[in-house]
Amino acid sequence: MTNDKLHRAVQIIKEAEVFIITAGAGMGVDSGLPDFRGNHGFWNAYPAYNRLGLSFSECATPMHFIKDPHFAWGFYGHRTNLYRDTTPHEGFQIIKKWIERNGADYFVVTSNVDGQFQKAGYDEDRMYEVHGSIHWLQCQARCHDKIWHNDEVFRIDETTMHAGDPLPECKVCGKVCRPNILMFGDYAWLHDRTLAQNNSFNQFLKQNSCRRIVVIEMGAGEAIPTIRKISERTGGLEHSTVIRINPREPRISSPHISMTCGALVGLKQIDDAISFDQVNETLV
Ligand SMILES: [Zn+2]
């Protein structure tokens, strides 16, 4: 990254009145979460599925909750445990520090279902989880429209990736329930919670559209471009600039800024430059 680009990123962050944080799967990598990109990444994280010859999209379908719920919860129970046990990396705190220092407002948009922003102390009411959250459950048969907290305990046999009994059930119809997240080929996802979050986000943008906005996008790839599109749309507002941090697909047109690196490295680089700037200001 050129000094000029870094200097601009520093200025934009120092002057921002509103932070829109947009995150894709790459955001979790620095916390030690597996990267499901391509079969290689997925099978590295889950060798059992490699042995079974199943890709991520073949594991992440609602069909398994009907045909083999122990197998289905083997996958989602393992991920629930993993996300509960993970500590969000320092980058989450760096952005929070910038927001607090500026006295700025913020909103988080994420395609991750892992709840890591809430875990890092971000406000549940400033969250738009576009694919839902693994920490909420719903009936697999949609016998009713309520969702509820995932407080279940999962024990997984990591050789077979099957979950042990008891499996969580819908209290109304007694069928095994499922996480409230959008899967592949999914016609049963209850999207009311995500829709309400989307409405809050749109309302937030409307109220803040004239202020100085920085969009910080991290680890959002082109394969499922939902997050990138939201970043670019928000970056199209009058006083809004996107900082796209991505090690593989960093491209974005000027005046937006791209950084070819992982989330934590990029955020630290900017934060170090801000600190350096402040030291210089003090000396002056
Ligand atoms: Zn039910």
Side-chain angles (χ1 to χ4, degrees):
M1 190 182 194
T2 62
N3 277 343
D4 181 47
K5 251 170 49 172
L6 186 59
H7 182 69
R8 272 193 58 228
V10 165
Q11 282 312 113
I12 284 159
I13 282 172
K14 281 170 78 174
E15 291 168 6
E17 297 170 298
V18 176
F19 285 69
I20 306 291
I21 304 143
T22 59
M27 182 64 175
V29 172
D30 296 313
S31 307
L33 291 174
D35 182 359
F36 291 160
R37 188 189 156 85
N39 285 339
H40 185 69
F42 179 61
W43 288 339
N44 256 349
Y46 291 107
Y49 297 127
N50 190 3
R51 287 195 294 276
L52 295 167
L54 291 173
S55 66
F56 173 65
S57 59
E58 286 165 333
C59 289
T61 88
M63 177 191 76
H64 297 303
F65 287 91
I66 300 164
K67 290 193 170 169
D68 189 351
H70 290 90
F71 177 84
W73 271 115
F75 184 47
Y76 287 104
H78 188 277
R79 289 174 62 196
T80 304
N81 290 343
L82 180 67
Y83 300 147
R84 283 176 184 163
D85 292 344
T86 298
T87 305
H89 62 77
E90 193 193 334
F92 289 84
Q93 298 308 326
I94 290 175
I95 302 174
K96 258 179 81 188
K97 180 180 72 181
W98 295 340
I99 293 168
E100 281 159 20
R101 190 187 288 158
N102 290 15
D105 287 322
Y106 71 92
F107 217 101
V108 174
V109 183
T110 177
S111 61
N112 300 320
V113 299
D114 54 23
Q116 294 294 295
F117 277 97
Q118 288 95 324
K119 207 169 181 194
Y122 287 78
D123 190 343
E124 171 76 21
D125 295 332
R126 289 162 186 272
M127 210 62 62
Y128 173 24
E129 294 162 295
V130 301
H131 294 156
S133 166
I134 207 165
H135 304 294
W136 289 83
L137 300 175
Q138 66 163 85
C139 176
Q140 61 154 296
R142 293 181 60 158
C143 79
H144 63 98
D145 285 347
K146 292 244 162 50
I147 63 168
W148 63 98
H149 267 292
N150 179 359
D151 299 319
E152 305 287 338
V153 174
F154 300 98
R155 279 179 303 277
I156 315 296
D157 178 336
E158 292 196 16
T159 318
T160 62
M161 288 307 286
H162 274 62
D165 285 320
L167 296 180
E169 291 172 352
C170 167
K171 286 183 179 60
V172 178
C173 71
K175 285 189 174 139
V176 171
C177 65
R178 53 166 273 185
N180 180 234
I181 65 183
L182 178 65
M183 302 176 196
F184 291 91
D186 193 352
Y187 301 99
W189 180 46
L190 290 168
H191 63 278
D192 292 9
R193 178 171 172 271
T194 292
L195 201 60
Q197 291 178 333
N198 183 17
N199 289 339
S200 304
F201 176 58
N202 288 338
Q203 190 65 29
F204 178 86
L205 281 186
K206 217 172 178 180
Q207 283 165 353
N208 291 286
S209 60
C210 295
R211 302 175 76 193
R212 283 193 297 277
I213 300 173
V214 61
V215 181
I216 305 178
E217 182 196 273
M218 293 157 291
E222 286 169 350
I224 302 173
T226 320
I227 294 294
R228 289 171 81 96
K229 283 187 177 159
I230 292 172
S231 306
E232 286 161 16
R233 205 169 59 229
T234 312
L237 293 169
E238 201 180 345
H239 306 289
S240 179
T241 310
V242 181
I243 300 175
R244 169 167 285 160
I245 309 177
N246 194 309
R248 297 187 195 94
E249 296 155 331
R251 233 181 67 79
I252 191 162
S253 56
S254 177
H256 305 294
I257 299 168
S258 67
M259 296 180 77
T260 314
C261 57
L264 182 55
V265 168
L267 294 170
K268 270 187 166 167
Q269 207 178 344
I270 298 172
D271 197 47
D272 287 347
I274 290 174
S275 307
F276 182 72
D277 246 32
Q278 272 155 358
V279 170
N280 280 352
E281 277 166 19
T282 316
L283 290 175
V284 170

